[in-house]
Amino acid sequence: MKHDFRNIETKWQEKWENAKLFEAVDFSEKPKYYTLVEFPYPSGHGMHVGHIKAYSGLEVVSRKRRMQGYNVMFPIGFDAFGLPTENSAVKFGVHPRVLTDENIEKFTGQLKRVGFSFDWSRVVDTTEEDYYRWTQWIFRKMFDNGLVFRDKTLVNYCPHCKVVLSNEDSQGGKCDICHNDVVQKSKDVWYLRITQYADKLLQGLDKVDYLPMVRQQQENWIGKSTGAFVNFKLKEVEETLRIYTTRPDTLFGVTFMVMAPEHPLLDTYADKVENMAEVLAYREECAKKTEFERTQLVKDKTGLQIKGLSAVHPITGKEIPIFISDYVMMGYGTGAIMAVPAHDGRDYDFAKKFGIDIIPVIEGGDIEKEAYTGDGNMINSDFLNGLTDKKSSIARMLVELEKLGVGEGGVQFKMKDWAFNRQRYWGEPIPIVHCPTCGMVGVPDEELPLRLPPVENFQPGEGGESPLAKIDSFVNCKCPKCGGDAKRETDTMPQWAGSSWYFLRYIDPKNTEALASPEKLNYWMPVDWYNGGMEHVTRHMIYSRFWHKFLYDLGIVPCDEPYSKRTAQGLILGANGVKMSKSLGNVVDPNDVVDSYGADVLRTYVLFMGDYEQAAPWSDSSVKGCKRFIERFAALTDMLSDTVSPEVEAALHRTIKKVTDDIEAMKFNTAIAAMMALLNEIHAAGSIDKESLKILAKLLCPFAPHICEEVWAELGGEGFCSAAEWPIYDEAKTKVAAVEIAVQICGKLRGKITIPAEATEEEAFAAVMADENLSALLNGKQIVKKIYVKGRLFNIVAK
RNA sequence: GCCGGUGUGAUGGAAUGGCAGACGUGACGGACUCAAAAUCCGUUGGUAGCGAUACCGUGUGGGUUCAAGUCCCACCACCGGCACCA
């Protein structure tokens, strides 16, 4: 048979669709299996082959699971709110709704051409009212439960574009769009209290099966640390400066204090600070830097001493100078630290630069050269002297701090609360009303969805406010509580919102009464296997786990962790080995590959090109290897015979085992390689029997389903190959009678012998000695040790 | 600076501590062809040798082991992430 992909691929896609072959069945008797891939953002550029790789992994798993008798749900949707669409809308004067619909249509066409076995009856679009109604509803529930608050923060603001920018879009202090200078601007921001779930998010990791790398990144992001809060009295005023430290054991080594430049105590006692002008100038300087930039100046610490204020050591009563420096952040701990230069690298750098004393309190290391962060005997530390390990020193110090009433043990998280609003049009309106009488009032259920009003002009308003602020009919409303005149919140939610719960909506996408019915949620949740990019492992995954845990606490979802298992795929790089990007012109469009080689070849290649978890460069010529493989497979229908050679049969069973196992480990490249090797074996044998070929078709079906259906039909297979039963291997048939094993003498390869696979050590040794070359090498030597690894090698240590 | 990842032929990459380089690409040789493409067969880590074979070889330097790409220690380079986290 020829590989006539132009005719067969659409044919089988239609047949699958008509048979509803990939539609998941709610409450089926079969065991359920929920496979989830990160839904795409439908950009105007269309998909590139990276998307195809991202979906192909679980595509193969899903198809295999169905063949193994599972009721599989493998859904897809579109995360369609977002800035790029809004920017295009501004640029071309087309409504984002129109652009989004166009882009979704484009993406859908591309995805369907590849023959993915998505359940298209469950597709979701985060920008549809029926969807964002529930996004707003969850937010409102959070608001009702005290997880939403407002606070001031500094944001990156571009005065030219009049928009607030993310750190990403304002690197180097320049606006990504117009390249003018970005300023830091104080703004009221909506926050979600994700920190309230920090401990739960951390502990939940024990219950799930995430890639170790994924788990580690989440742990680091949450960043739990244990330490102590210590209160330092100020000498000049009745006030305490509260600090957080992970090293209370080094309290006697404190020689200065550092406050974040923005620390509010400076404003409270501005009249006492003699050099307030300098402080303000330094603040301004810091405000220009983004947080990322602060991290660039690693060694060269900046800062200045606060004159007129000093702290008092809580135990020794000694006076301690106070500094401000931007290496201390307002957003972590208390915004102030006790500095122990002898035992902290950053404090050490600062002390050296400003000529501050360095007092060692732990023996070991050389404080002339660098800070010592290791363990050792405590010195210069009063009641701690003589203790030898950190743990007991900390414990002892905590007892003392509590006795004196100047501090206590505590934990801190690196994770910050989630800034949850954007001054944008193309996002979910925040369902809050500002009432002069009642304050902030949530929009009630019956008024949801709070629809995005039609807008003519998507340009942001003066001062960077949302375009919604210009729509009077939207802004002016009645307070749901008192009925008086009120104003709507005009900010919208960030793109992360819609993607924080989409996996729940797939379960019941048309439900108008709830985000999904409890029965269906109970049947389908949790997601059995979630795959996506490493870049979403912290933010998207932690945000969605947070929402899920909140919904669990409300009794809406049946499990507290949404994803049982999480893996990640590597990028496809351009042919030149760098990231694919429009500007570099190295983007590969999957449509082009389907046009010239067919979907089966594209699917096979993206999985064959390398380790699934690793980045790999695209290679046009390597695609040909997969094209040849598929063609050679199709041609097997012309090599049929009634019998099968024992070699081919054994190879077939080994391949079943290999492919079955490799798919589970996401080692798709070696699974395909094994099938290629089997093909070579069949070609060498010259023929294959019908039943064996049907088995091979089933093995290859998850990877290249169209050609496998065609071959299956040609062989008279019943129904769809995609619905056939996954092959089982016969362990006995995978065994080979005779094996060639390596013979080493003193660890060096010296020859090979062929022996029965199950030969004993004695038999194997006899075979070694029967080999003239090998026995000659051992002549006159005394054998010290024999190591026999069955089926692998025989190593003889001789003197 | 910190965290994570990766270093293997010309090239993408294989390899439960057990024959390094599976499988694919490319290259070379051959078959088919008037010819080319496609296809099929063969060769393909390096050095020396006609040869059997020998020596070398998985970023660098040490170590553990009968045996190391794999484990341990110290480094180097590249890629990705970042929030100087007290």
Side-chain angles (χ1 to χ4, degrees):
Chain A
M1 174 193 296
K2 280 222 154 44
H3 178 221
D4 182 12
F5 63 89
R6 283 179 230 275
N7 288 316
I8 67 166
E9 293 188 344
T10 45
K11 177 180 83 182
W12 287 106
Q13 284 162 16
E14 278 166 28
K15 285 184 189 235
W16 294 329
E17 197 169 337
N18 292 338
K20 299 185 189 302
L21 204 58
F22 306 126
E23 289 190 14
V25 183
D26 295 325
F27 313 117
S28 152
E29 290 296 309
K30 291 180 185 175
K32 72 95 184 177
Y33 202 85
Y34 186 175
T35 39
L36 181 69
V37 290
E38 284 167 353
F39 61 165
Y41 175 72
S43 74
H45 305 308
M47 286 207 223
H48 64 82
V49 286
H51 289 100
I52 306 302
K53 180 177 173 186
Y55 306 147
S56 291
L58 287 191
E59 158 74 356
V60 167
V61 171
S62 301
R63 283 182 173 267
K64 180 189 170 201
R65 284 286 181 282
R66 289 191 195 95
M67 294 172 80
Q68 288 176 314
Y70 287 85
N71 176 32
V72 172
M73 176 158 70
F74 184 41
I76 189 72
F78 299 96
D79 189 15
F81 274 132
L83 200 51
T85 304
E86 185 163 337
N87 288 342
S88 299
V90 171
K91 195 167 161 192
F92 301 116
V94 182
H95 195 283
R97 173 78 270 156
V98 176
L99 290 175
T100 298
D101 288 342
E102 279 174 17
N103 293 345
I104 287 180
E105 202 184 322
K106 192 173 189 175
F107 269 58
T108 303
Q110 283 178 305
L111 284 169
K112 288 198 169 176
R113 282 196 76 188
V114 182
F116 284 126
S117 65
F118 291 128
D119 180 349
W120 287 100
S121 72
R122 293 171 185 266
V123 77
V124 304
D125 165 2
T126 55
T127 64
E128 275 178 8
E129 291 171 11
D130 288 344
Y131 184 90
Y132 73 69
R133 169 184 180 183
W134 298 105
T135 311
Q136 291 172 330
W137 183 82
I138 298 170
F139 174 88
R140 227 277 327 290
K141 283 281 176 193
M142 288 190 161
F143 179 79
D144 295 344
N145 285 275
L147 287 171
V148 177
F149 68 99
R150 257 165 105 72
D151 197 6
K152 279 206 189 307
T153 189
L154 287 176
V155 295
N156 307 305
Y157 179 71
C158 174
H160 183 262
C161 301
K162 295 172 193 144
V163 288
V164 176
L165 297 165
S166 64
N167 284 346
E168 192 188 355
D169 293 328
S170 54
Q171 282 183 34
K174 302 277 180 197
C175 169
D176 227 28
I177 305 161
C178 68
H179 307 288
N180 286 307
D181 282 350
V182 169
V183 299
Q184 300 290 305
K185 188 174 167 175
S186 176
K187 203 162 176 72
D188 267 335
V189 178
W190 290 95
Y191 281 100
L192 296 189
R193 229 181 270 284
I194 189 171
T195 50
Q196 196 164 308
Y197 279 77
D199 242 331
K200 282 185 177 177
L201 287 166
L202 188 63
Q203 280 160 22
L205 293 172
D206 286 336
K207 298 185 218 165
V208 292
D209 173 24
Y210 291 177
L211 218 59
M213 178 171 54
V214 170
R215 180 186 174 140
Q216 200 178 342
Q217 284 211 16
Q218 293 203 9
E219 279 174 354
N220 291 347
W221 183 271
I222 296 165
K224 184 175 184 171
S225 82
T226 49
F229 291 96
V230 184
N231 303 320
F232 285 70
K233 279 198 164 29
L234 295 190
K235 189 183 155 208
E236 294 80 2
V237 290
E238 265 306 304
E239 182 65 72
T240 53
L241 176 59
R242 188 169 166 82
I243 63 98
Y244 177 74
T245 178
T246 54
R247 296 296 304 275
D249 56 316
T250 61
L251 190 60
F252 288 98
V254 173
T255 53
F256 59 104
M257 312 292 290
V258 187
M259 287 156 82
E262 308 85 9
H263 200 286
L265 227 53
L266 292 169
D267 300 301
T268 313
Y269 299 102
D271 54 328
K272 303 276 178 198
V273 179
E274 291 158 18
N275 53 343
M276 198 62 196
E278 272 184 276
V279 169
L280 292 175
Y282 183 68
R283 256 189 200 175
E284 206 164 298
E285 205 178 297
C286 295
K288 280 188 205 146
K289 298 184 203 165
T290 62
E291 278 186 282
F292 186 77
E293 282 178 308
R294 285 196 184 185
T295 72
Q296 302 290 308
L297 309 160
V298 176
K299 279 281 166 197
D300 192 23
K301 299 275 183 286
T302 61
L304 57 101
Q305 188 176 351
I306 304 298
K307 296 189 181 133
L309 287 178
S310 58
V312 179
H313 193 284
I315 296 174
T316 65
K318 233 167 81 181
E319 183 179 340
I320 308 167
I322 304 174
F323 289 75
I324 55 171
S325 174
D326 63 359
Y327 82 90
V328 173
M329 307 285 168
M330 206 50 232
Y332 185 78
T334 61
I337 62 159
M338 63 178 216
V340 185
H343 306 292
D344 181 281
R346 290 152 301 158
D347 297 348
Y348 187 87
D349 293 340
F350 193 87
K352 278 281 171 194
K353 179 158 178 184
F354 288 85
I356 308 166
D357 288 349
I358 300 173
I359 304 172
V361 291
I362 299 169
E363 273 183 338
D366 178 4
I367 61 151
E368 291 304 314
K369 289 202 191 108
E370 59 183 0
Y372 177 66
T373 55
D375 245 338
N377 284 325
M378 298 301 296
I379 51 169
N380 302 326
S381 293
D382 195 350
F383 54 87
L384 293 181
N385 285 342
L387 292 177
T388 54
D389 70 293
K390 208 190 273 183
K391 219 176 151 185
S392 39
S393 306
I394 289 174
R396 176 70 187 85
M397 179 56 85
L398 287 179
V399 169
E400 190 70 18
L401 289 176
E402 288 189 28
K403 199 176 87 191
L404 296 172
V406 293
E408 71 283 333
V411 297
Q412 275 291 304
F413 293 94
K414 287 185 197 172
M415 195 168 66
K416 298 169 185 168
D417 281 319
W418 177 7
F420 197 72
N421 56 318
R422 305 290 183 263
Q423 293 71 43
R424 296 292 178 174
Y425 174 74
W426 199 228
E428 300 88 345
I430 290 180
I432 299 283
V433 167
H434 299 274
C435 171
T437 320
C438 314
M440 296 189 293
V441 181
V443 173
D445 286 3
E446 56 275 16
E447 286 181 33
L448 295 179
L450 173 58
R451 293 185 178 82
L452 270 172
V455 173
E456 293 296 320
N457 179 2
F458 309 104
Q459 297 283 0
E462 286 298 320
E465 62 205 357
S466 159
L468 293 181
K470 293 184 287 191
I471 316 291
D472 289 343
S473 59
F474 178 81
V475 175
N476 296 317
C477 65
K478 298 289 174 201
C479 170
K481 223 185 216 170
C482 70
D485 286 341
K487 295 211 183 289
R488 284 195 195 286
E489 171 62 46
T490 58
D491 279 359
T492 54
M493 300 187 197
Q495 209 189 340
W496 307 106
S499 59
S500 290
W501 70 283
Y502 72 112
F503 50 92
L504 298 174
R505 190 62 177 173
Y506 285 140
I507 288 170
D508 199 3
K510 310 233 158 47
N511 197 320
T512 53
E513 305 303 313
L515 56 85
S517 88
E519 294 77 22
K520 289 182 187 174
L521 285 168
N522 204 40
Y523 177 79
W524 284 111
M525 284 303 286
V527 172
D528 292 282
W529 192 339
Y530 190 17
N531 184 74
M534 278 308 289
E535 69 274 22
H536 292 129
V537 152
T538 45
R539 283 178 296 178
H540 158 63
M541 276 195 82
I542 291 188
Y543 292 157
S544 61
R545 287 181 59 222
F546 160 49
W547 278 38
H548 195 81
K549 283 177 179 298
F550 168 69
L551 292 173
Y552 177 72
D553 288 346
L554 292 188
I556 290 166
V557 294
C559 49
D560 66 339
E561 281 293 337
Y563 318 120
S564 299
K565 175 178 174 134
R566 166 75 188 205
T567 52
Q569 81 280 348
L571 292 174
I572 295 186
L573 306 173
N576 50 0
V578 295
K579 211 168 164 177
M580 276 193 189
S581 84
K582 197 91 182 157
S583 58
L584 288 169
N586 59 354
V587 176
V588 179
D589 182 343
N591 276 348
D592 294 342
V593 184
V594 175
D595 285 342
S596 20
Y597 300 108
D600 285 337
V601 171
L602 170 62
R603 295 166 57 115
T604 308
Y605 177 64
V606 295
L607 294 178
F608 180 66
M609 61 196 298
D611 184 346
Y612 190 65
E613 291 175 10
Q614 230 53 65
W618 183 268
S619 160
D620 280 323
S621 58
S622 284
V623 179
K624 279 185 210 140
C626 291
K627 169 182 175 274
R628 288 181 191 141
F629 168 57
I630 298 296
E631 283 169 353
R632 272 156 66 91
F633 167 73
L636 290 179
T637 54
D638 304 324
M639 292 175 58
L640 291 175
S641 75
D642 294 331
T643 55
V644 59
S645 76
E647 289 80 17
V648 169
E649 191 181 30
L652 177 67
H653 281 266
R654 282 197 301 272
T655 307
I656 298 172
K657 181 176 164 60
K658 180 84 177 145
V659 173
T660 303
D661 296 346
D662 281 359
I663 289 174
E664 296 310 311
M666 295 199 122
K667 294 170 83 77
F668 305 112
N669 54 338
T670 51
I672 293 165
M675 289 186 279
M676 287 174 169
L678 175 62
L679 220 62
N680 292 342
E681 193 107 21
I682 295 166
H683 270 263
S687 70
I688 184 171
D689 67 301
K690 206 164 151 181
E691 287 312 306
S692 299
L693 182 52
K694 278 167 84 175
I695 290 173
L696 177 55
K698 290 197 277 187
L699 282 184
L700 183 58
C701 190
F703 299 87
H706 310 88
I707 190 63
C708 289
E709 292 287 4
E710 196 67 20
V711 166
W712 182 258
E714 167 94 5
L715 297 176
E718 247 181 72
F720 289 103
C721 184
S722 303
E725 208 169 302
W726 186 252
I728 310 269
Y729 60 90
D730 182 343
E731 187 73 51
K733 284 185 182 159
T734 63
K735 298 275 195 295
V736 277
V739 286
E740 189 187 58
I741 68 164
V743 180
Q744 295 181 339
I745 292 169
C746 295
K748 277 202 177 288
L749 183 67
R750 288 298 178 216
K752 290 178 183 186
I753 55 170
T754 301
I755 56 169
E758 293 303 315
T760 62
E761 182 172 328
E762 287 72 27
E763 288 163 351
F765 184 63
V768 172
M769 297 314 285
D771 185 295
E772 276 179 33
N773 292 334
L774 292 167
S775 55
L777 286 166
L778 288 166
N779 225 342
K781 289 188 173 167
Q782 197 198 342
I783 294 174
V784 182
K785 199 171 179 182
K786 287 182 280 195
I787 297 124
Y788 174 49
V789 183
K790 220 179 233 179
R792 294 282 186 175
L793 60 60
F794 204 110
N795 187 12
I796 296 165
V797 185
K799 281 196 275 201

